Amino acid sequence: MNDQDGQDRQARADAVDREMAARLLPAAAVGALGRRWEANAPAYADGTPGAHTVRYTPGRWAQVSPWPAALAPVGAGGDAAVSRAEVAVAVADALQREAFREALVATYVWGKGKRGTPGGSGPATLHKILAFDALDTVLAAAVTALREHGAPEAYAALQGQVSGLGPAFFSKFLYFTGLALEPASGVRPLILDQVLARRMRQMAAVVGCQSGHDPDGSIAAWVWSDGNWTPHRYQVYLSFLHAAADQLAAEDTWPAGGTADLLECALFTTSWETSE
């Protein structure tokens, strides 16, 4: 692809982004999210996903150090559970002590839960991440970037810096860090992973086709790929979700004070049929 083709493709991507920002969530998504809220309202009565709880097996993480006190001891048998609210408290405490690795471990264990992958993402990968000598420096730089500049800059400070620590997990670190401190500008960070990127791709493909900017969905597939999203794409994502949360707050089927991370949590587990 030559420079002109690349510029044309980016221009089309920008046009789709503008259309999505204007239209926000389609009616099918609003309906599906409303039904999910009806089924889960008692658990999230405060309009946040703080009660969102993940089960994990402490014994699987025995090689990981430092281990946050908020998590069950690695010597404990069986499974344990930890909520977003509990992780948020643990991260806030760790950041006050500049215990950046401890904060990362809390977010990583919550993010992985009991899941494992053939590629080894889990305890083995986290152990390797923690072995990176400059990890504290990298994490500290991201926290500083968030505090002094904003979420996209903090994202950029982490992207590609630590082998094995990709956006799906370092955005979790940023999300919980953002609950502990106020970004200098812009909106608070949110989690972006493959599932959420695919939700965005689904909406972008429909909007691109309807608007004529992306008739075949190739632009949506490019910008909302399954990983390695750029800081610009992360900024687009944050802007969309925070605006979409305001959109939902005006609906009778969603809590008036519902936060953007409540929407992120709901999108992760909610699907709907597309229509063009």
Side-chain angles (χ1 to χ4, degrees):
M1 178 183 298
N2 60 39
D3 291 344
Q4 185 59 51
D5 289 340
Q7 291 172 4
D8 290 345
R9 186 165 71 161
Q10 185 59 57
R12 292 170 61 199
D14 293 342
V16 173
D17 289 342
R18 287 192 294 271
E19 287 286 344
M20 286 187 67
R23 303 185 189 198
L24 296 177
L25 294 168
V30 171
L33 290 163
R35 291 188 293 273
R36 185 189 183 282
W37 172 251
E38 183 179 8
N40 292 276
Y44 304 119
D46 63 353
T48 80
H52 175 207
T53 298
V54 171
R55 298 196 65 78
Y56 64 104
T57 306
R60 291 187 61 222
W61 304 85
Q63 63 181 315
V64 170
S65 179
W67 188 250
L71 299 179
V74 294
D79 293 344
V82 64
S83 69
R84 286 199 189 209
E86 290 168 331
V87 174
V89 171
V91 169
D93 174 69
L95 292 178
Q96 284 184 341
R97 295 180 282 110
E98 297 188 349
F100 302 111
R101 290 169 183 255
E102 187 177 317
L104 177 65
V105 170
T107 66
Y108 197 101
V109 172
W110 175 86
K112 180 55 65 176
K114 294 189 68 173
R115 294 175 296 134
T117 68
S121 178
T125 299
L126 180 55
H127 183 67
K128 293 176 182 177
I129 290 169
L130 293 169
F132 180 57
D133 288 341
L135 181 61
D136 283 303
T137 300
V138 171
L139 296 177
V143 172
T144 298
L146 180 62
R147 183 185 292 115
E148 296 183 356
H149 302 288
E153 290 81 3
Y155 183 100
L158 284 169
Q159 189 171 37
Q161 296 299 307
V162 182
S163 178
L165 184 61
F169 279 89
F170 73 62
S171 67
K172 293 176 175 68
F173 173 80
L174 290 179
Y175 163 67
F176 284 105
T177 297
L179 294 178
L181 59 90
E182 187 76 29
S185 63
V187 295
R188 291 185 185 273
L190 295 169
I191 297 168
L192 174 59
D193 61 14
Q194 183 182 93
V195 173
L196 291 159
R198 288 178 177 179
R199 298 279 190 263
M200 297 297 293
R201 186 192 314 167
Q202 176 185 1
M203 290 185 280
V206 173
V207 169
C209 183
Q210 291 177 343
S211 65
H213 297 302
D214 183 24
D216 61 359
S218 61
I219 296 297
W222 172 50
V223 298
W224 298 111
S225 60
D226 281 345
N228 200 32
W229 309 285
T230 65
H232 170 71
R233 189 54 30 196
Y234 186 60
Q235 183 174 30
V236 169
Y237 171 73
L238 294 181
S239 296
F240 181 88
L241 255 66
H242 280 270
D246 291 340
Q247 172 195 10
L248 284 175
E251 299 286 335
D252 293 336
T253 55
W254 193 259
T259 57
D261 54 345
L262 180 67
L263 172 57
E264 166 260 298
C265 182
L267 279 176
F268 186 85
T269 54
T270 304
S271 60
W272 60 88
E273 294 295 323
T274 60
S275 60
E276 298 181 6

